[in-house]
Amino acid sequence: MKTFNFMSVATCGLVMMAMSCSSCKEDPIEPNNKTYTITDVEIGGESYKKLEGIINDDLSLNLSENWLLSGGVFVDENAKLSITQGGTVYADTEVTTFLSIKQGGEIFIQGESTNPIVFTPLKDNPTYGDWGGIIINGRAILNTGLTAEGEGGTGIYGGDDDHDDSGVLRYVRVEYAGKILGTDNELNGFSFNGVGDGTTVEYIQAYKGSDDGIEFFGGTVNVKYAVSTHNQDDSFDWTHGWRGKGQYWIAQQGPDGGDRGIEADNNGDDNTLEPYSNPTLSNITLIGVNDGDSLNTGMRLREGTKGQIFFAHVTGFPKYGVRVSDEVTLNNVTNGELFVANSLIEGNGTDFKDCESFDGLTNTLNDSWFSYDETVGAGDFWTEGWVRQWEI
């Protein structure tokens, strides 16, 4: 592990106070009325720009330099954080670090298929939960009330605008996230909190996090091309009225921890709260493994969720392939408002639990957002060059 002896060379953007600094005058991200700081530090013989605090106007990171996020880094309302070249952004593991986009803030993180933008801990031998991941807080509708507060004090989210736009994530990988803050208080790789469908999310990977890989708390954001690899809780998780769309998703569980490929809830306190969680997914691959407890399940559809899932391949889960539970959720199946169709569920401990009607079910997907593809599963043609591969 690297020793974190920070040697401050120059501090720019001082917090809510004016201070002169000869090196700051040459820095294009001045003047010095920012509520964030950028400090030149040296760690293990390498130079880094350490970014802390609340970004309250437009800031672009040039990844030809080493950047280190430290603590809770927020993008404020009406501010924009841009990274438009591939490379690595490091997270400080000496403090609880995460990147949170506040309501009304925007993020434009756009890598390339051969050169993604990677967020990873600054640490020798990084591991699960070294930092907190990326959180986006939008103004889309929840079923828990008008607004809610994100886990770990990461921001307020929710509102009345399902078309809210929080920016763009494209070719982005988050590694070793999922910082555990306390009981039932864990961060994820990517947390989409009340995010609207004006936001673009494509080609993202959550790699080896200690909690969920990719989680949706209400909202309507759509996600195309997503990989969740060796995350120690659920690979994908939704709750509180998520009504987005997803296509080309891969979950690969790992041997040292994992729960469900998909954990799908409406609302745990009241399964009938509206708007119901009701996503549409297509071309999904969920690959399970026995991590020692024989309990892993491919899809757990519960607590009142609705949803339409097409062309899924679910295999290798030691307990269940697809399970439906709770009275309201079972009623949704009976009413045709929850189903898994045109799919292959095989090679699991028990393929179907309380949803045998899904076996062999076919249905029609008619939505222009989706690329036309009747292949069962997600394939992998789209992962080359930017996805960090996994070991079984």
Side-chain angles (χ1 to χ4, degrees):
M1 176 179 175
K2 292 185 175 68
T3 301
F4 279 68
N5 293 320
F6 290 140
M7 295 171 53
S8 178
V9 178
T11 301
C12 303
L14 296 173
V15 180
M16 295 183 293
M17 61 183 296
M19 182 175 287
S20 63
C21 168
S22 59
S23 63
C24 289
K25 293 177 183 177
E26 300 173 359
D27 195 323
I29 60 174
E30 277 299 295
N32 55 9
N33 60 351
K34 310 292 189 291
T35 57
Y36 60 92
T37 64
I38 296 175
T39 307
D40 292 332
V41 299
E42 185 175 306
I43 306 168
E46 294 285 341
S47 296
Y48 296 85
K49 290 191 171 293
K50 184 170 73 165
L51 174 59
E52 302 173 275
I54 301 173
I55 299 166
N56 67 343
D57 63 5
D58 294 354
L59 175 64
S60 235
L61 304 191
N62 182 346
L63 295 192
S64 63
E65 301 175 292
N66 292 323
W67 285 88
L68 177 67
L69 305 181
S70 186
V73 177
F74 292 85
V75 178
D76 209 355
E77 183 178 11
N78 299 321
K80 181 192 302 183
L81 174 65
S82 299
I83 310 174
T84 56
Q85 65 195 101
T88 302
V89 179
Y90 296 96
D92 185 351
T93 62
E94 299 294 289
V95 294
T96 298
T97 297
F98 55 81
L99 175 61
S100 177
I101 315 308
K102 297 171 71 172
Q103 288 185 314
E106 291 184 285
I107 190 169
F108 287 87
I109 303 181
Q110 302 188 75
E112 300 175 348
S113 60
T114 57
N115 194 15
I117 295 168
V118 180
F119 291 79
T120 197
L122 183 59
K123 179 182 177 183
D124 291 334
N125 302 314
T127 191
Y128 305 93
D130 273 341
W131 74 294
I134 295 177
I135 303 100
I136 301 181
N137 298 296
R139 291 180 169 137
I141 298 170
L142 319 173
N143 66 20
T144 56
L146 184 62
T147 62
E149 183 173 2
E151 294 175 302
T154 53
I156 300 299
Y157 63 93
D160 59 3
D161 183 4
D162 277 345
H163 306 303
D164 190 34
D165 183 354
S166 297
V168 176
L169 287 176
R170 185 178 285 124
Y171 293 112
V172 179
R173 185 166 76 237
V174 168
E175 301 179 342
Y176 306 106
K179 184 79 171 180
I180 297 175
L181 306 177
T183 303
D184 296 325
N185 188 12
E186 306 96 359
L187 302 176
N188 307 298
F190 295 89
S191 299
F192 296 102
N193 298 340
V195 178
D197 62 16
T199 307
T200 299
V201 182
E202 299 177 335
Y203 303 100
I204 62 172
Q205 182 184 17
Y207 182 86
K208 289 193 174 182
S210 65
D211 198 54
D212 298 332
I214 300 169
E215 184 160 10
F216 305 88
F217 294 89
T220 54
V221 67
N222 306 318
V223 177
K224 187 174 283 189
Y225 306 110
V227 181
S228 185
T229 308
H230 286 208
N231 291 288
Q232 291 190 310
D233 195 6
D234 306 313
S235 301
F236 298 93
D237 193 336
W238 68 73
T239 189
H240 298 166
W242 178 56
R243 289 151 289 126
K245 303 169 187 177
Q247 186 175 24
Y248 300 119
W249 288 8
I250 296 174
Q252 170 68 67
Q253 291 193 325
D256 47 357
D259 197 359
R260 288 126 188 188
I262 290 177
E263 181 175 277
D265 300 331
N266 181 47
N267 187 291
D269 296 325
D270 182 346
N271 294 176
T272 66
L273 283 178
E274 297 182 352
Y276 280 85
S277 293
N278 192 13
T280 302
L281 309 180
S282 187
N283 305 102
I284 308 298
T285 296
L286 307 178
I287 303 172
V289 69
N290 191 344
D291 58 10
D293 61 11
S294 300
L295 297 176
N296 296 23
T297 291
M299 296 186 199
R300 180 75 183 273
L301 310 174
R302 63 180 196 174
E303 294 186 347
T305 192
K306 299 180 181 180
Q308 300 79 48
I309 301 173
F310 300 85
F311 301 111
H313 184 202
V314 181
T315 189
F317 291 88
K319 191 161 189 181
Y320 302 118
V322 180
R323 179 185 179 186
V324 175
S325 56
D326 307 316
E327 181 180 0
V328 176
T329 323
L330 292 164
N331 288 340
N332 293 339
V333 173
T334 300
N335 296 333
E337 297 175 294
L338 173 65
F339 59 78
V340 178
N342 312 77
S343 295
L344 177 61
I345 316 298
E346 50 85 27
N348 305 286
T350 299
D351 288 331
F352 296 95
K353 171 65 173 175
D354 297 327
C355 57
E356 287 74 15
S357 60
F358 295 164
D359 190 7
L361 179 67
T362 60
N363 214 322
T364 302
L365 174 60
N366 183 19
D367 188 314
S368 61
W369 182 85
F370 290 88
S371 302
Y372 178 77
D373 190 343
E374 293 189 347
T375 305
V376 174
D380 62 4
F381 63 94
W382 48 271
T383 66
E384 185 175 352
W386 67 276
V387 164
R388 182 166 179 176
Q389 298 301 314
W390 49 82
E391 312 84 22
I392 298 298

